[in-house]
PDB file of all heavy atoms in Angstrom:
ATOM      1  N   PHE A 228       1.281   5.223  -2.826  1.00  0.00           N
ATOM      2  CA  PHE A 228       2.073   6.012  -3.782  1.00  0.00           C
ATOM      3  C   PHE A 228       2.064   5.395  -5.205  1.00  0.00           C
ATOM      4  O   PHE A 228       1.934   6.060  -6.217  1.00  0.00           O
ATOM      5  CB  PHE A 228       3.539   6.094  -3.278  1.00  0.00           C
ATOM      6  CG  PHE A 228       4.472   6.756  -4.211  1.00  0.00           C
ATOM      7  CD1 PHE A 228       4.528   8.085  -4.421  1.00  0.00           C
ATOM      8  CD2 PHE A 228       5.403   6.018  -4.973  1.00  0.00           C
ATOM      9  CE1 PHE A 228       5.398   8.771  -5.262  1.00  0.00           C
ATOM     10  CE2 PHE A 228       6.277   6.585  -5.868  1.00  0.00           C
ATOM     11  CZ  PHE A 228       6.216   7.981  -6.015  1.00  0.00           C
ATOM     12  N   ALA A 229       2.112   4.104  -5.208  1.00  0.00           N
ATOM     13  CA  ALA A 229       2.060   3.410  -6.561  1.00  0.00           C
ATOM     14  C   ALA A 229       0.684   3.554  -7.238  1.00  0.00           C
ATOM     15  O   ALA A 229       0.645   3.668  -8.464  1.00  0.00           O
ATOM     16  CB  ALA A 229       2.391   1.900  -6.339  1.00  0.00           C
ATOM     17  N   MET A 230      -0.364   3.580  -6.440  1.00  0.00           N
ATOM     18  CA  MET A 230      -1.700   3.665  -7.011  1.00  0.00           C
ATOM     19  C   MET A 230      -2.164   5.094  -7.288  1.00  0.00           C
ATOM     20  O   MET A 230      -3.148   5.341  -7.890  1.00  0.00           O
ATOM     21  CB  MET A 230      -2.628   3.022  -6.062  1.00  0.00           C
ATOM     22  CG  MET A 230      -2.484   1.542  -5.793  1.00  0.00           C
ATOM     23  SD  MET A 230      -2.760   0.559  -7.207  1.00  0.00           S
ATOM     24  CE  MET A 230      -1.048   0.064  -7.596  1.00  0.00           C
ATOM     25  N   ASP A 231      -1.287   6.101  -6.998  1.00  0.00           N
ATOM     26  CA  ASP A 231      -1.641   7.495  -7.133  1.00  0.00           C
ATOM     27  C   ASP A 231      -1.738   7.981  -8.539  1.00  0.00           C
ATOM     28  O   ASP A 231      -2.461   8.921  -8.879  1.00  0.00           O
ATOM     29  CB  ASP A 231      -0.629   8.370  -6.352  1.00  0.00           C
ATOM     30  CG  ASP A 231      -1.101   9.807  -6.289  1.00  0.00           C
ATOM     31  OD1 ASP A 231      -2.169  10.019  -5.810  1.00  0.00           O
ATOM     32  OD2 ASP A 231      -0.319  10.689  -6.666  1.00  0.00           O
ATOM     33  N   LYS A 232      -1.076   7.329  -9.492  1.00  0.00           N
ATOM     34  CA  LYS A 232      -1.096   7.646 -10.892  1.00  0.00           C
ATOM     35  C   LYS A 232      -1.359   6.388 -11.795  1.00  0.00           C
ATOM     36  O   LYS A 232      -0.938   5.294 -11.451  1.00  0.00           O
ATOM     37  CB  LYS A 232       0.194   8.285 -11.314  1.00  0.00           C
ATOM     38  CG  LYS A 232       0.593   9.580 -10.587  1.00  0.00           C
ATOM     39  CD  LYS A 232      -0.256  10.724 -11.126  1.00  0.00           C
ATOM     40  CE  LYS A 232       0.309  12.106 -10.507  1.00  0.00           C
ATOM     41  NZ  LYS A 232       0.419  12.183  -9.069  1.00  0.00           N
ATOM     42  N   LYS A 233      -2.046   6.582 -12.866  1.00  0.00           N
ATOM     43  CA  LYS A 233      -2.380   5.402 -13.744  1.00  0.00           C
ATOM     44  C   LYS A 233      -1.194   4.887 -14.518  1.00  0.00           C
ATOM     45  O   LYS A 233      -1.244   3.728 -14.931  1.00  0.00           O
ATOM     46  CB  LYS A 233      -3.406   5.858 -14.739  1.00  0.00           C
ATOM     47  CG  LYS A 233      -4.776   6.196 -14.157  1.00  0.00           C
ATOM     48  CD  LYS A 233      -5.833   6.508 -15.187  1.00  0.00           C
ATOM     49  CE  LYS A 233      -7.223   6.788 -14.604  1.00  0.00           C
ATOM     50  NZ  LYS A 233      -8.209   7.155 -15.601  1.00  0.00           N
ATOM     51  N   ASN A 234      -0.107   5.627 -14.589  1.00  0.00           N
ATOM     52  CA  ASN A 234       1.071   5.143 -15.316  1.00  0.00           C
ATOM     53  C   ASN A 234       2.094   4.475 -14.379  1.00  0.00           C
ATOM     54  O   ASN A 234       3.278   4.460 -14.671  1.00  0.00           O
ATOM     55  CB  ASN A 234       1.719   6.279 -16.162  1.00  0.00           C
ATOM     56  CG  ASN A 234       2.217   7.403 -15.305  1.00  0.00           C
ATOM     57  OD1 ASN A 234       1.906   7.449 -14.106  1.00  0.00           O
ATOM     58  ND2 ASN A 234       2.985   8.280 -15.943  1.00  0.00           N
ATOM     59  N   ARG A 235       1.603   3.927 -13.298  1.00  0.00           N
ATOM     60  CA  ARG A 235       2.475   3.296 -12.310  1.00  0.00           C
ATOM     61  C   ARG A 235       2.120   1.786 -12.121  1.00  0.00           C
ATOM     62  O   ARG A 235       0.930   1.509 -12.192  1.00  0.00           O
ATOM     63  CB  ARG A 235       2.451   4.025 -10.968  1.00  0.00           C
ATOM     64  CG  ARG A 235       2.950   5.415 -11.022  1.00  0.00           C
ATOM     65  CD  ARG A 235       2.895   6.105  -9.636  1.00  0.00           C
ATOM     66  NE  ARG A 235       3.288   7.485  -9.842  1.00  0.00           N
ATOM     67  CZ  ARG A 235       3.285   8.445  -8.852  1.00  0.00           C
ATOM     68  NH1 ARG A 235       2.786   8.083  -7.681  1.00  0.00           N
ATOM     69  NH2 ARG A 235       3.709   9.703  -9.048  1.00  0.00           N
ATOM     70  N   LYS A 236       3.054   0.949 -11.992  1.00  0.00           N
ATOM     71  CA  LYS A 236       2.779  -0.450 -11.800  1.00  0.00           C
ATOM     72  C   LYS A 236       3.300  -0.809 -10.372  1.00  0.00           C
ATOM     73  O   LYS A 236       4.452  -0.390 -10.044  1.00  0.00           O
ATOM     74  CB  LYS A 236       3.551  -1.331 -12.857  1.00  0.00           C
ATOM     75  CG  LYS A 236       3.371  -2.836 -12.654  1.00  0.00           C
ATOM     76  CD  LYS A 236       4.195  -3.621 -13.680  1.00  0.00           C
ATOM     77  CE  LYS A 236       4.048  -5.126 -13.426  1.00  0.00           C
ATOM     78  NZ  LYS A 236       4.785  -5.876 -14.430  1.00  0.00           N
ATOM     79  N   TYR A 237       2.582  -1.623  -9.627  1.00  0.00           N
ATOM     80  CA  TYR A 237       2.935  -1.996  -8.374  1.00  0.00           C
ATOM     81  C   TYR A 237       3.244  -3.535  -8.310  1.00  0.00           C
ATOM     82  O   TYR A 237       2.463  -4.325  -8.778  1.00  0.00           O
ATOM     83  CB  TYR A 237       1.824  -1.713  -7.355  1.00  0.00           C
ATOM     84  CG  TYR A 237       2.060  -2.153  -5.956  1.00  0.00           C
ATOM     85  CD1 TYR A 237       2.975  -1.493  -5.138  1.00  0.00           C
ATOM     86  CD2 TYR A 237       1.357  -3.181  -5.356  1.00  0.00           C
ATOM     87  CE1 TYR A 237       3.181  -1.866  -3.817  1.00  0.00           C
ATOM     88  CE2 TYR A 237       1.518  -3.586  -4.042  1.00  0.00           C
ATOM     89  CZ  TYR A 237       2.413  -2.948  -3.320  1.00  0.00           C
ATOM     90  OH  TYR A 237       2.636  -3.296  -2.009  1.00  0.00           O
ATOM     91  N   VAL A 238       4.396  -3.890  -7.732  1.00  0.00           N
ATOM     92  CA  VAL A 238       4.814  -5.241  -7.636  1.00  0.00           C
ATOM     93  C   VAL A 238       5.169  -5.572  -6.224  1.00  0.00           C
ATOM     94  O   VAL A 238       6.152  -4.959  -5.739  1.00  0.00           O
ATOM     95  CB  VAL A 238       5.963  -5.596  -8.646  1.00  0.00           C
ATOM     96  CG1 VAL A 238       6.424  -7.016  -8.503  1.00  0.00           C
ATOM     97  CG2 VAL A 238       5.696  -5.204 -10.026  1.00  0.00           C
ATOM     98  N   LEU A 239       4.500  -6.481  -5.622  1.00  0.00           N
ATOM     99  CA  LEU A 239       4.793  -6.854  -4.237  1.00  0.00           C
ATOM    100  C   LEU A 239       5.526  -8.199  -4.264  1.00  0.00           C
ATOM    101  O   LEU A 239       4.983  -9.229  -4.814  1.00  0.00           O
ATOM    102  CB  LEU A 239       3.529  -6.992  -3.340  1.00  0.00           C
ATOM    103  CG  LEU A 239       3.732  -7.599  -1.960  1.00  0.00           C
ATOM    104  CD1 LEU A 239       4.618  -6.663  -1.134  1.00  0.00           C
ATOM    105  CD2 LEU A 239       2.372  -7.753  -1.293  1.00  0.00           C
ATOM    106  N   VAL A 240       6.711  -8.287  -3.689  1.00  0.00           N
ATOM    107  CA  VAL A 240       7.482  -9.519  -3.612  1.00  0.00           C
ATOM    108  C   VAL A 240       7.458  -9.968  -2.200  1.00  0.00           C
ATOM    109  O   VAL A 240       8.247  -9.557  -1.363  1.00  0.00           O
ATOM    110  CB  VAL A 240       8.938  -9.259  -4.149  1.00  0.00           C
ATOM    111  CG1 VAL A 240       9.643 -10.596  -4.200  1.00  0.00           C
ATOM    112  CG2 VAL A 240       8.981  -8.496  -5.469  1.00  0.00           C
ATOM    113  N   GLU A 241       6.532 -10.848  -1.899  1.00  0.00           N
ATOM    114  CA  GLU A 241       6.179 -11.209  -0.557  1.00  0.00           C
ATOM    115  C   GLU A 241       7.373 -11.687   0.276  1.00  0.00           C
ATOM    116  O   GLU A 241       7.570 -11.351   1.469  1.00  0.00           O
ATOM    117  CB  GLU A 241       5.101 -12.328  -0.515  1.00  0.00           C
ATOM    118  CG  GLU A 241       3.786 -11.831  -1.076  1.00  0.00           C
ATOM    119  CD  GLU A 241       2.887 -11.199   0.009  1.00  0.00           C
ATOM    120  OE1 GLU A 241       3.400 -11.036   1.133  1.00  0.00           O
ATOM    121  OE2 GLU A 241       1.757 -10.960  -0.312  1.00  0.00           O
ATOM    122  N   ASN A 242       8.224 -12.559  -0.306  1.00  0.00           N
ATOM    123  CA  ASN A 242       9.239 -13.200   0.503  1.00  0.00           C
ATOM    124  C   ASN A 242      10.560 -12.568   0.430  1.00  0.00           C
ATOM    125  O   ASN A 242      11.643 -13.074   0.876  1.00  0.00           O
ATOM    126  CB  ASN A 242       9.420 -14.712   0.024  1.00  0.00           C
ATOM    127  CG  ASN A 242       8.122 -15.445   0.397  1.00  0.00           C
ATOM    128  OD1 ASN A 242       7.468 -15.318   1.505  1.00  0.00           O
ATOM    129  ND2 ASN A 242       7.712 -16.348  -0.507  1.00  0.00           N
ATOM    130  N   ALA A 243      10.711 -11.369  -0.146  1.00  0.00           N
ATOM    131  CA  ALA A 243      11.978 -10.700  -0.337  1.00  0.00           C
ATOM    132  C   ALA A 243      12.163  -9.732   0.797  1.00  0.00           C
ATOM    133  O   ALA A 243      11.268  -9.128   1.338  1.00  0.00           O
ATOM    134  CB  ALA A 243      11.931  -9.881  -1.637  1.00  0.00           C
ATOM    135  N   ASP A 244      13.433  -9.554   1.176  1.00  0.00           N
ATOM    136  CA  ASP A 244      13.821  -8.561   2.151  1.00  0.00           C
ATOM    137  C   ASP A 244      13.930  -7.261   1.514  1.00  0.00           C
ATOM    138  O   ASP A 244      13.664  -7.094   0.304  1.00  0.00           O
ATOM    139  CB  ASP A 244      15.137  -8.981   2.824  1.00  0.00           C
ATOM    140  CG  ASP A 244      14.994 -10.074   3.831  1.00  0.00           C
ATOM    141  OD1 ASP A 244      14.001 -10.013   4.556  1.00  0.00           O
ATOM    142  OD2 ASP A 244      15.798 -11.000   3.836  1.00  0.00           O
TER     143      ASP A 244
END
Side-chain angles (χ1 to χ4, degrees):
F228 176 75
M230 297 296 106
D231 189 53
K232 300 284 191 304
K233 292 183 178 180
N234 62 350
R235 296 178 184 174
K236 178 183 178 181
Y237 178 70
V238 179
L239 174 61
V240 190
E241 292 276 7
N242 295 320
D244 286 317

